[in-house]
Amino acid sequence: MTGMAGLARLRTDPELQRIARGGLTALLIKGSAAGLSFLMFLVLARAMTVEEFGRLGFVFSAATLLAVLGSLGQRALAMRYVAIYRGIGAEAKARGVVEYGYRRVVAGCGGLVLILAGAALVHGPSMSYLIAGAALVLAVGMEELQANHLRAEGGMKLALMPRDVVWRVIVMLAAGVAAVGAWPEITASAAIWIMALTLLIIIAAQAVWSPLLRSIADRSDRDWSEIGQWQKAQWGLWGVSVIQPAVPNLALVALGLLLSPAETAPVFAALRTAMVLHLFLMAANMIAAPLISRHVHADDMQSLQRLCTVISAAVTLPTFLVFVAFILAGDRVLGLFGSGFESGHVALVIFSAGYLVSAVAGSTAQIMEMAGFERRYFRVLLIATIAALALLWPLIALLGSVGAALAVAGYTMSWNVVLYVFIARQLGINAGLLRLAGHKP
């Protein structure tokens, strides 16, 4: 099925219509989130010195990576098993895997919080922002887990709106007071505390609102009989979840260690801006991931191919258009962050090229995770990560921020290409637009 034929079937296929509606909802929320994320970091940059914004980028990237590390694979585990259990009416098992995930994330992220807080106390006031970073680790870890529970449950708005829209608006408004001069410039530590505390409050409200999450608190019946399967799957999923964001975040951490905060700030702004290109594929995958799980579980490769074709056809064009816009006017976009941020334009284009290849490749990561190939996915990511990290330090030493961008983009492109070929050979489907497999819907 060609991309145009796949889009034409939206008129007659109920499942594709559901994907379109759900994907549109996710896209609208994620589109708002992308704009608000850009504005949030822009306002934060205006509310603090360049050096403090560089420290914010360092801590935010480290906290994001540590939250994934402390989540112990529960995000993807929830997406896979909650979708399957609810699809077959096994509500007690769905509640069981939700409770299992909460316990593991609290233990994993809680341990990292204690380590970071201890490091901050040992180093004294100069590293006080690590305590705020520790709180952010716990907040991000818990919120991402809850969001995946709710996505698998079908509550797309409740899964995305609290963090993607409400949280960003609150942080932006708080920083905006300082940005307009009504309050002194804020520090990186203060900004991170604002992020962490507001996100923790939102998490609590989100949990109270969801029937599935409320059922954990009221001790409704839950079935842990398949814990052996959960434990077996979680480690491969954990490895994947840790490694996949490692290179982009470690690139920022490496820049923070090798270069000054003022030199790191434009690259952090470029990376956050380039992530707009990932928005379209991310939105489509949010509604498609549970469906991928169900199609694989039912061995319905025809429906899976149809789903993949529509997703890739729908996301490639807008991703390409944004990529071209960044080539032509990316320096002016970065200039909105403040004087000197235009220097990140080349890095912005390179980061964006990696996300463009990811869009063309389609839902490679989701297929590997939902089809039970998480260990193979982990090995591919591990090799790509080792290669990227081996090149990262010398590239930064030679080319500075451009070297970091080359390492990140090369990493994103390489694992997508390898997984695309593997999926075509193993499942006989094309995850994206490039036709390698002969399976026809």
Side-chain angles (χ1 to χ4, degrees):
M1 178 173 62
T2 65
M4 291 302 294
L7 291 176
R9 291 193 61 169
L10 283 171
R11 297 179 180 179
T12 58
D13 192 310
E15 181 179 78
L16 295 187
Q17 290 175 357
R18 176 188 171 189
I19 295 166
R21 289 193 300 268
L24 180 59
T25 298
L27 181 59
L28 289 174
I29 295 174
K30 279 295 178 183
S32 301
L36 289 172
S37 180
F38 176 79
L39 289 174
M40 182 181 76
F41 284 108
L42 189 153
V43 173
L44 284 167
R46 294 285 188 177
M48 58 181 66
T49 64
V50 174
E51 289 76 13
E52 287 296 314
F53 187 72
R55 291 188 183 94
L56 171 67
F58 172 81
V59 176
F60 188 87
S61 298
T64 300
L65 184 59
L66 289 174
V68 175
L69 182 66
S71 295
L72 303 178
Q74 300 308 307
R75 301 177 183 184
L77 190 79
M79 179 60 62
R80 180 196 295 183
Y81 284 101
V82 172
I84 290 174
Y85 293 150
R86 301 213 80 186
I88 61 176
E91 295 296 328
K93 288 183 178 179
R95 288 191 291 270
V97 77
V98 168
E99 183 182 49
Y100 177 80
Y102 273 121
R103 291 187 180 186
R104 295 301 182 273
V105 170
V106 169
C109 289
L112 293 173
V113 165
L114 294 177
I115 292 172
L116 282 176
L121 293 174
V122 169
H123 287 281
S126 63
M127 300 287 282
S128 61
Y129 54 81
L130 287 181
I131 297 178
L136 187 60
V137 169
L138 180 61
V140 172
M142 292 295 294
E143 201 285 330
E144 289 285 356
L145 176 68
Q146 284 195 172
N148 277 2
H149 286 155
L150 294 167
R151 284 170 54 197
E153 185 184 4
M156 190 62 64
K157 293 179 181 178
L158 185 57
L160 302 181
M161 284 286 289
R163 179 183 176 184
D164 286 350
V165 177
V166 178
W167 177 65
R168 286 180 167 89
V169 169
I170 293 172
V171 174
M172 185 171 61
L173 291 175
V177 177
V180 299
W183 194 16
E185 288 182 328
I186 61 175
T187 64
S189 181
I192 297 164
W193 271 120
I194 292 171
M195 290 179 165
L197 294 177
T198 53
L199 189 56
L200 287 170
I201 293 171
I202 286 173
I203 289 168
Q206 188 181 45
V208 170
W209 196 269
S210 165
L212 176 63
L213 302 183
R214 283 202 311 270
S215 68
I216 303 304
D218 64 22
R219 307 304 298 172
S220 298
D221 289 341
R222 69 285 313 273
D223 182 352
W224 283 50
S225 61
E226 296 189 356
I227 186 175
Q229 293 185 29
W230 307 341
Q231 291 174 331
K232 181 179 179 181
Q234 76 175 27
W235 297 115
L237 295 170
W238 177 70
V240 166
S241 66
V242 169
I243 290 179
Q244 189 175 28
V247 172
N249 286 295
L250 285 177
L252 268 297
V253 172
L255 281 172
L257 295 173
L258 294 175
L259 305 177
S260 69
E263 292 173 299
T264 303
V267 188
F268 178 65
L271 179 60
R272 302 305 303 184
T273 303
M275 287 180 178
V276 172
L277 274 80
H278 192 49
L279 166 70
F280 306 101
L281 182 60
M282 184 188 304
N285 283 336
M286 283 184 171
I287 191 65
L291 296 174
I292 292 173
S293 178
R294 291 171 190 170
H295 289 326
V296 171
H297 187 68
D299 196 28
D300 186 357
M301 294 298 108
Q302 185 177 25
S303 295
L304 181 58
Q305 178 64 82
R306 184 168 65 247
L307 173 65
C308 292
T309 302
V310 171
I311 289 173
S312 188
V315 304
T316 298
L317 179 59
T319 303
F320 177 74
L321 292 176
V322 176
F323 176 69
V324 173
F326 282 165
I327 292 176
L328 299 176
D331 54 341
R332 280 172 279 180
V333 174
L334 291 174
L336 297 173
F337 284 86
S339 177
F341 281 84
E342 298 90 344
S343 62
H345 185 205
V346 175
L348 171 62
V349 173
I350 296 172
F351 285 138
S352 299
Y355 287 120
L356 178 60
V357 171
S358 183
V360 174
S363 303
T364 52
Q366 283 68 30
I367 293 172
M368 296 295 287
E369 290 181 346
M370 298 300 110
F373 295 125
E374 64 274 358
R375 293 181 181 271
R376 174 62 69 96
Y377 182 22
F378 171 74
R379 289 196 292 270
V380 171
L381 283 182
L382 181 61
I383 294 170
T385 299
I386 292 172
L389 293 179
L391 293 171
L392 179 61
W393 297 90
L395 282 173
I396 291 176
L398 289 173
L399 302 173
S401 61
V402 172
L406 287 171
V408 172
Y411 161 78
T412 303
M413 294 176 184
S414 63
W415 66 256
N416 267 290
V417 170
V418 172
L419 293 185
Y420 194 97
V421 174
F422 174 82
I423 291 168
R425 292 177 177 175
Q426 191 71 26
L427 297 179
I429 64 168
N430 304 294
L433 294 181
L434 181 62
R435 188 174 180 81
L436 296 182
H439 192 94
K440 295 182 180 180

